[in-house]
């Protein structure tokens, strides 16, 4: 844990941890996950709240509504700087002022220039403000959202599965299953953390994927990411991606920039790129891949389709070199048969 501001009590740090736990209960996108705990002078909890999605009360408003008049004189512990703008709801900074909160302790400054400035509003009203408490933990919770706001486009995670020799399919086109059952379960956990699944039209035509988040029994979960199909090719409505399990949009372009602009306009903040080698090469060449997740199977093919198409790189010195941030061995579970463990590598491009 990084050093915390000197003027923060242990009870406030503990309350911030609780606020982060509350924030994690909320859905991701298009708004950040935010939690709030109101503390009395003796450190006891007066009320708690968290944001439940776009159009619902923000975490501070949720906690203030629950506290009522008891909010006056409290310390508000918030995982993100209180917003300072009117969107679907009123500014949280003003709500805190009106409620008579004495002190505000928040974790991460708001990276959104439209919503930022809440700290100044609070200080101007005479409220004591402390920032930076468990800031890294808060940023980790909202990692993709924070980066997308900074980039002003969706954060892009490219996921693929490969053999030891870098093949995503055999020469006859078969690819089921390069990854293990454990890797596929893990993929669904990662899919659930994004708001958009993106593939190319050719992947839909050839592989006919569902592109849904499913449980271990194969049933779709209640909350589903948007399914986005990118390309100019017309596709039959019988493809599974057009079923009723989730919403699907067709992006009529081959340009990754144009695709992300449209998805940003749809308030999408985290794209999970699962297309084939051509689509992957297009996003990599455009500099639009932020994170790579690759499942490596203990398997050799010697030939077949590669995970990414030609990037125009002709010398080793020009190679793209993502930074490895995590290595996890995915062990098979009972019932997975005699499958060998897969390795998940997580890397960042920037």
């Amino acid at each position: 844990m990084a050093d915390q501001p000197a003027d923060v009590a242990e009870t406030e740090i503990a309350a911030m941890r609780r606020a982060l736990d509350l924030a994690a209960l909320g859905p991701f996108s298009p708004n950040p996950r935010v939690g709030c705990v109101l503390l009395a002078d003796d450190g006891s909890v007066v009320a708690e709240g968290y944001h439940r999605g776009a159009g619902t009360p923000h975490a501070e408003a949720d906690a203030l509504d629950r506290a009522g008049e008891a909010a006056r004189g409290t310390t508000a512990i918030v995982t993100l700087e209180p917003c300072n703008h009117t969107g679907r709801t009123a500014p949280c900074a003003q709500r805190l002022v009106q409620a008579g909160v004495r002190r505000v302790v928040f974790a991460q400054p708001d990276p959104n220039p439209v919503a930022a400035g809440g700290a100044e509003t609070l200080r101007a009203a005479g409220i004591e403000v402390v920032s930076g408490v468990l800031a890294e933990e808060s940023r980790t919770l909202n990692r993709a959202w924070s980066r997308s706001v900074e980039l002003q486009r969706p954060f892009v995670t490219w996921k693929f599965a490969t053999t030891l020799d870098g093949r995503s399919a055999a020469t006859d086109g078969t690819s089921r299953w390069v990854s293990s059952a454990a890797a596929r379960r893990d993929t669904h956990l990662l899919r659930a953390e994004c708001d958009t699944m993106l593939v190319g039209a050719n992947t839909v035509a050839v592989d006919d994927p569902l592109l849904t988040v499913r449980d271990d029994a194969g049933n779709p979960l209640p909350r589903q990411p948007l399914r986005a199909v990118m390309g100019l090719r017309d596709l039959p409505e019988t493809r599974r991606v057009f079923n009723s399990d989730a919403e699907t949009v067709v992006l009529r372009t081959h340009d990754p920039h144009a695709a992300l602009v449209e998805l940003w306009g749809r308030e999408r903040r985290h794209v999970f790129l699962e297309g084939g080698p051509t689509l992957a090469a297009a996003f990599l060449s455009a500099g639009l891949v932020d994170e790579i997740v690759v499942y490596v199977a203990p398997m050799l093919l010697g030939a077949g389709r590669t995970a990414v198409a030609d990037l125009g790189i002709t010398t080793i010195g020009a190679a793209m070199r993502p930074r490895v941030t995590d290595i996890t061995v995915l062990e098979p579970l009972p019932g997975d048969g005699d499958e060998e463990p897969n390795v998940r590598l997580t890397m960042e491009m920037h």
Side-chain angles (χ1 to χ4, degrees):
M1 183 179 69
D3 292 339
Q4 302 305 311
D7 53 346
V8 176
E10 289 297 324
T11 53
E12 293 176 333
I13 295 176
M16 185 66 78
R17 294 195 184 283
R18 172 58 181 166
L20 287 166
D21 289 341
L22 289 168
L25 299 175
F28 163 75
S29 184
N31 294 347
R33 293 167 171 166
V34 183
C36 177
V37 176
L38 299 179
L39 295 180
D41 284 343
D42 62 1
S44 62
V45 175
V46 174
E48 300 177 337
Y50 68 95
H51 183 48
R52 292 168 172 80
T56 67
H58 287 189
E60 301 94 319
D62 187 30
L64 291 171
D65 289 342
R66 295 174 189 277
E69 285 300 315
R72 188 165 299 278
T74 60
T75 294
I77 310 294
V78 194
T79 58
L80 185 70
E81 179 184 7
C83 69
N84 200 45
H85 81 299
T86 301
R88 292 185 176 99
T89 60
C92 290
Q94 290 294 343
R95 281 294 310 271
L96 291 165
V97 171
Q98 294 164 4
V101 168
R102 177 183 64 83
R103 173 177 163 94
V104 173
V105 177
F106 68 85
Q108 177 190 354
D110 197 325
N112 186 352
V114 175
E120 288 80 359
T121 295
L122 294 168
R123 290 190 180 99
I127 294 175
E128 185 180 353
V129 178
V130 177
S131 64
V133 177
L134 301 185
E136 284 304 311
E137 288 85 343
S138 176
R139 184 172 176 85
T140 297
L141 179 69
N142 287 308
R143 177 182 63 96
W145 176 84
S146 295
R147 187 64 179 137
S148 75
V149 170
E150 292 165 357
L151 295 168
Q152 287 295 288
R153 64 160 174 82
F155 182 90
V156 176
T157 297
W158 171 39
K159 169 263 171 183
F160 66 96
T162 180
T163 62
L164 288 173
D165 53 348
R167 307 293 174 174
S168 62
T171 53
D172 65 357
T174 55
S175 60
R176 293 189 178 186
W177 292 101
V178 169
S179 60
S180 67
R184 295 193 294 276
R185 282 192 295 269
D186 192 69
T187 294
H188 283 283
L189 295 176
L190 296 183
R191 284 181 174 183
E193 290 295 314
C194 73
D195 59 21
T196 306
M197 301 286 302
L198 177 60
V199 297
N202 187 65
T203 293
V204 172
V206 174
D207 295 338
D208 195 20
L210 274 169
L211 293 185
T212 53
V213 180
R214 301 184 293 278
D215 61 22
D216 289 347
N219 301 312
L221 299 183
R223 178 192 168 274
Q224 292 291 331
L226 174 71
R227 299 180 293 195
V229 181
M230 179 177 161
L232 303 177
R233 179 176 180 174
D234 290 327
L235 295 165
E237 295 182 359
T238 54
R239 296 285 89 180
R240 297 193 300 169
V241 76
F242 297 118
N243 70 12
S244 60
D245 288 348
E247 181 185 359
T248 299
V249 61
V250 176
L251 308 174
R252 292 286 185 175
T253 181
H254 285 153
D255 181 0
H257 291 279
L260 293 185
V261 166
E262 183 169 344
L263 291 172
W264 180 260
R266 291 175 176 268
E267 298 191 315
R268 300 291 145 169
R269 301 296 180 255
H270 189 180
V271 169
F272 206 64
L273 184 66
E274 286 206 40
T278 301
L279 190 64
F283 272 80
L284 285 166
S285 297
L288 294 175
V289 172
D290 303 295
E291 177 182 62
I292 301 173
V293 176
V294 53
Y295 296 95
V296 182
M299 185 186 304
L300 294 165
L301 286 174
R305 186 176 67 188
T306 58
V308 61
D310 184 10
L311 294 171
I313 297 172
T314 58
T315 179
I316 196 70
M320 293 184 178
R321 300 179 185 272
R323 185 176 71 88
V324 176
T325 57
D326 181 72
I327 302 173
T328 300
V329 177
L330 302 171
E331 299 282 354
L333 296 178
D336 287 347
D338 58 355
E339 290 187 329
E340 294 293 329
N342 279 198
V343 175
R344 183 191 68 210
L345 296 174
T346 305
M347 294 163 276
E348 63 179 21
M349 292 295 293
H350 304 292

